[in-house]
């Protein structure tokens, strides 16, 4: 069985034209060739400024429900856990011990007040990491803040429309849902639900057709009040059992060691998708993925791990 409904706790900070010629050409050949050359040049220039398109076929467009817990498609509902005692939001920490599966998760962090830093050139995205996951064919779950989706809508859409990945909610503001959490600004309890709802709205607005009904608390910090506050949304809170240590680390080898020493069957690994706060993550992934595959591990998304666990509803 998967582990869920764990006691309130605190964890280490987690701190994406083709030119068509006329059917009837009534001009001289040299002119046609010149027109073709101009069209081809225009298409090439347009491609240079466009976001990178996915290497994988995009899923069919879905009209998401206004309620984040509702399935975007009745045929393929997202697996979730049943609510806990008293209707509290359920918490998923790791998958079943049977089978050597591991879920790599990446937090796309950006707090509500970091806009000026982004405008000044600080990068909170990491397209190179996403490209590496594609190159290595690694399924992954990206926990995205609404503020990140607002800042990088083309990248959010690119990730969200690639079936290799799934996008989940990491709050809008990336403020703490408890009184104290690694120095993060504190979100009042009365604003917790609306902050999560606002994040779903921002993620969908960016072009993600199917945000999953999963939520990761900023910093991994939560208590019973926070679980109760977001319970009406019907989400499953996703924690982890392996801290990668990539936050603010430039030592890829140390990240590799920490992940590989901590991974067990069913592990959920927390990592980051922000160049400024986790500059060595991509390099570490290039070592972690082949190493774990040699050990017989298979990479899955969080939804697949929940589905394999008892307690699916």
């Amino acid at each position: 069985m998967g582990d869920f409904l764990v006691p309130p706790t605190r964890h280490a900070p987690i701190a994406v034209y083709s030119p068509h010629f006329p059917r009837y050409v009534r001009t001289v050949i040299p002119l046609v060739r010149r027109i073709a050359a101009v069209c081809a040049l225009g298409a090439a220039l347009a491609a240079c400024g466009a976001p990178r398109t996915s290497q994988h076929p995009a899923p069919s467009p879905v009209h998401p429900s206004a309620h984040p817990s509702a399935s975007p498609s009745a045929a393929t509902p997202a697996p979730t856990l049943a609510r806990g005692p008293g209707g509290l939001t359920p918490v998923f920490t790791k998958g079943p011990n049977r089978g050597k599966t591991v879920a790599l998760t990446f937090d796309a962090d950006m707090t509500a007040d970091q806009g000026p830093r982004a405008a000044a050139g600080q990068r909170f995205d990491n397209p190179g990491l996403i490209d590496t996951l594609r190159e290595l064919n690694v399924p992954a779950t990206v926990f995205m803040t609404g503020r990140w989706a607002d800042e990088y809508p083309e990248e959010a859409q690119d990730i969200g429309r690639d079936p290799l990945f799934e996008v989940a909610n990491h709050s809008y503001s990336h403020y703490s849902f408890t009184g104290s959490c690694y120095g993060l600004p504190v979100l009042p309890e009365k604003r917790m639900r609306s902050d999560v709802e606002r994040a779903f709205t921002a993620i969908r607005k960016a072009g993600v057709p199917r945000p999953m009904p999963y939520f990761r608390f900023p910093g991994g910090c939560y208590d019973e009040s926070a679980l109760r506050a977001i319970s009406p949304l019907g989400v499953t809170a996703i924690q982890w059992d392996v801290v990668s240590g990539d936050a603010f680390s430039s030592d890829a080898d140390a990240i590799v060691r920490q992940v590989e020493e901590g991974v067990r069957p069913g592990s959920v690994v927390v990592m980051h998708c922000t160049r400024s706060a986790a500059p060595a993550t991509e390099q570490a992934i290039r070592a972690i993925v082949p190493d774990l595959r040699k050990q017989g591990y298979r990479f899955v998304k969080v939804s697949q791990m929940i589905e394999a666990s008892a307690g699916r509803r």
Side-chain angles (χ1 to χ4, degrees), residues 64-65 67-72 78 160 166-169 199-201 203-204 207-214:
S65 166
H67 196 291
S69 65
S71 167
E166 63 187 10
V167 173
N169 193 316
F200 274 117
T201 298
I203 291 168
R204 289 192 180 101
V208 177
R210 188 189 181 189
M212 303 301 281
Y214 307 143

Side-chain angles (χ1 to χ4, degrees), residues 125-145:
D125 61 341
N126 195 341
L129 170 63
I130 299 301
D131 287 344
T132 294
L133 292 171
R134 287 180 169 129
E135 176 188 332
L136 298 174
N137 195 31
V138 179
T141 303
V142 178
F143 288 88
M144 193 177 291
T145 67

Side-chain angles (χ1 to χ4, degrees), residues 6 9-15 91-94 103 105 107 143 170 182 216-222 237-244 266-272:
V6 297
T9 182
R10 294 158 112 193
H11 292 262
I14 55 175
V91 181
F92 182 85
T93 303
K94 69 181 298 292
T105 67
D107 293 354
F143 288 88
H170 194 32
Y182 308 106
R216 174 165 283 168
F217 287 99
C221 301
Y222 68 93
I238 308 297
Q239 293 290 99
W240 57 83
D241 67 310
V242 177
V243 178
S244 68
S267 280
V268 177
V269 182
V270 60
M271 306 187 85
H272 293 80

Side-chain angles (χ1 to χ4, degrees), residues 206-274:
V208 177
R210 188 189 181 189
M212 303 301 281
Y214 307 143
F215 175 70
R216 174 165 283 168
F217 287 99
C221 301
Y222 68 93
D223 54 23
E224 186 172 310
S225 295
L227 293 177
R228 183 176 297 107
I230 66 171
S231 179
L233 299 177
V235 296
T236 294
I238 308 297
Q239 293 290 99
W240 57 83
D241 67 310
V242 177
V243 178
S244 68
D246 68 339
F248 309 107
S249 174
S250 58
D251 188 342
D253 291 337
I255 298 168
V256 173
R257 286 194 302 272
Q258 188 154 320
V259 171
E260 294 184 1
E261 289 174 2
V263 163
R264 300 291 183 272
S267 280
V268 177
V269 182
V270 60
M271 306 187 85
H272 293 80
C273 186
T274 52

Side-chain angles (χ1 to χ4, degrees), residues 132-216:
T132 294
L133 292 171
R134 287 180 169 129
E135 176 188 332
L136 298 174
N137 195 31
V138 179
T141 303
V142 178
F143 288 88
M144 193 177 291
T145 67
R147 183 63 185 85
W148 193 98
D150 283 347
E151 187 70 25
Y152 306 107
E154 293 178 344
E155 292 181 50
Q157 177 176 268
D158 184 44
I159 295 169
R161 291 186 178 274
D162 189 334
L164 189 65
F165 307 123
E166 63 187 10
V167 173
N169 193 316
H170 194 32
S171 81
Y172 182 85
S173 62
H174 201 254
Y175 287 0
S176 173
F177 279 58
T178 61
S180 176
C181 183
Y182 308 106
L184 291 173
V186 177
L187 188 70
E189 184 177 340
K190 63 183 180 181
R191 288 177 48 198
M192 292 178 182
R193 174 178 174 176
S194 62
D195 190 84
V196 178
E197 290 175 323
R198 185 182 179 189
F200 274 117
T201 298
I203 291 168
R204 289 192 180 101
K205 182 180 178 181
V208 177
R210 188 189 181 189
M212 303 301 281
Y214 307 143
F215 175 70
R216 174 165 283 168

